[in-house]
Amino acid sequence: MASIISVANQKGGVGKTTTAVNLAACIALAGKKVLLVDIDPQSNATSGLGVTPNGGAGVYDLIMGSATLDEVVHATEIDTLKIIPATVDLAGAEVELVSVEQRETRLKQAIQPALERFDYMVIDCPPSLGLLTLNALTGSHSVLVPMQCEYYALQGLSHLMQTLKRVKQSLNPQLRIEGILLTMYDARTSLTRQVQDQVKKYFKDFLLTTVIPRNVRLSEAPSHGQPVILYDSRSKGADAYVELAKEIILRGRRNLGNPSSNLSEVTP
């Protein structure tokens, strides 16, 4: 059965989509069957894998019930990586879902048929805590939180953790934190080290060992419609996401048989 990981942070510009695309690609290249779900109306994960729906169905049609799972799953350059793309219609989904029954669980119900077909599902969430992100969190087993090494991101982290606790209590009892991932990491700056120390102090049990460095290849890869591991496999960015994939796979093995959530350990 697939392990479903949402990549979420209400703050934009923290490397969320970069992480979703490159983590999914690296796990797929490790021999796992992976489904990337782009639920961000900006559809950057979709274009970042070189997928162009061209008027075809996407995640909007899936959650609104006008298309089946098979109709929205698209192939990518990596054989073991598939994607449910975002289309322009997704921009109106937040408003349309307000009046829909079971609006928080539409995505969860729609992806159920895929649980036995994939080893991992990675959901790229919008930079907000609206209904689309809520759908992703309700349907996920865990949440990966990319965090840029700067103080505004640190301030928002506590708010996000409390939101995750509320989702666990009201909608998804099995939800846990996959980890906090430091992105755009530059060890040469004192600010980076200070922020890292603060995260270790307050969220040490959730901080991942892997860090994602600032790397120009990571910025260039999306314009070529490729994950960095295909665009430049020898870059520092590619190396970092390979290590992240290994860490996530290992953590998944450790969590087998231990479905309880670690969100209870979070303090305000």
Side-chain angles (χ1 to χ4, degrees):
M1 180 175 289
S3 174
I4 308 175
I5 304 171
S6 278
V7 183
N9 193 323
Q10 78 272 27
K11 190 178 186 303
V14 298
K16 177 182 56 59
T17 297
T18 297
T19 294
V21 168
N22 289 291
L23 174 62
C26 288
I27 292 178
L29 288 172
K32 305 294 184 181
K33 295 179 181 178
V34 183
L35 177 64
L36 177 61
V37 182
D38 187 357
I39 201 168
D40 185 348
Q42 297 177 83
S43 67
N44 290 332
T46 300
S47 61
L49 284 179
V51 175
T52 51
N54 291 328
V59 70
Y60 168 83
D61 306 276
L62 182 66
I63 62 178
M64 299 306 293
S66 58
T68 65
L69 185 69
D70 288 335
E71 291 173 332
V72 299
V73 172
H74 291 241
T76 72
E77 195 171 345
I78 301 172
D79 289 341
T80 52
L81 174 62
K82 310 298 182 185
I83 183 172
I84 300 178
T87 60
V88 65
D89 296 327
L90 191 59
E94 293 273 6
V95 175
E96 294 180 50
L97 282 171
V98 170
S99 59
V100 174
E101 290 186 7
Q102 299 179 321
R103 58 189 180 186
E104 302 92 349
T105 61
R106 300 288 291 191
L107 180 65
K108 179 180 179 179
Q109 295 168 3
I111 61 176
Q112 286 296 310
L115 289 178
E116 301 298 333
R117 292 163 49 182
F118 294 92
D119 300 307
Y120 286 86
M121 293 187 201
V122 179
I123 305 176
D124 183 32
C125 300
S128 68
L129 294 174
L131 273 173
L132 291 175
T133 298
L134 191 58
N135 263 266
L137 297 178
T138 302
S140 297
H141 299 127
S142 63
V143 186
L144 177 62
V145 184
M147 178 185 154
Q148 186 179 358
C149 294
E150 54 108 57
Y151 275 113
Y152 285 136
L154 184 60
Q155 289 176 345
L157 184 58
S158 293
H159 298 150
L160 176 61
M161 291 296 187
Q162 294 310 308
T163 297
L164 296 180
K165 286 183 71 173
R166 289 193 290 271
V167 171
K168 169 187 161 53
Q169 292 167 358
S170 60
L171 294 169
N172 185 3
Q174 69 178 342
L175 188 65
R176 59 180 178 80
I177 298 172
E178 189 67 43
I180 298 170
L181 175 68
L182 297 182
T183 61
M184 306 176 197
Y185 189 90
D186 187 349
R188 298 171 298 177
T189 68
S190 59
L191 177 59
T192 292
R193 295 192 298 271
Q194 290 169 7
V195 171
Q196 185 177 34
D197 289 343
Q198 289 295 305
V199 176
K200 284 182 178 178
K201 180 178 179 180
Y202 294 106
F203 304 102
K204 62 180 180 179
D205 293 332
F206 310 117
L207 185 62
L208 295 174
T209 302
T210 305
V211 298
I212 307 301
R214 287 190 178 274
N215 180 250
V216 67
R217 296 303 194 194
L218 283 173
S219 301
E220 293 173 349
S223 66
H224 294 267
Q226 291 184 318
V228 71
I229 191 68
L230 296 185
Y231 176 67
D232 187 350
S233 63
R234 297 184 179 182
S235 65
K236 290 183 178 179
D239 290 342
Y241 277 109
V242 167
E243 290 304 311
L244 176 63
K246 291 178 180 177
E247 186 171 359
I248 294 298
I249 291 171
L250 181 59
R251 290 169 72 91
R253 290 171 181 165
R254 289 173 178 170
N255 286 320
L256 286 175
N258 182 25
S260 61
S261 169
N262 57 5
L263 282 166
S264 59
E265 302 167 17
V266 177
T267 55

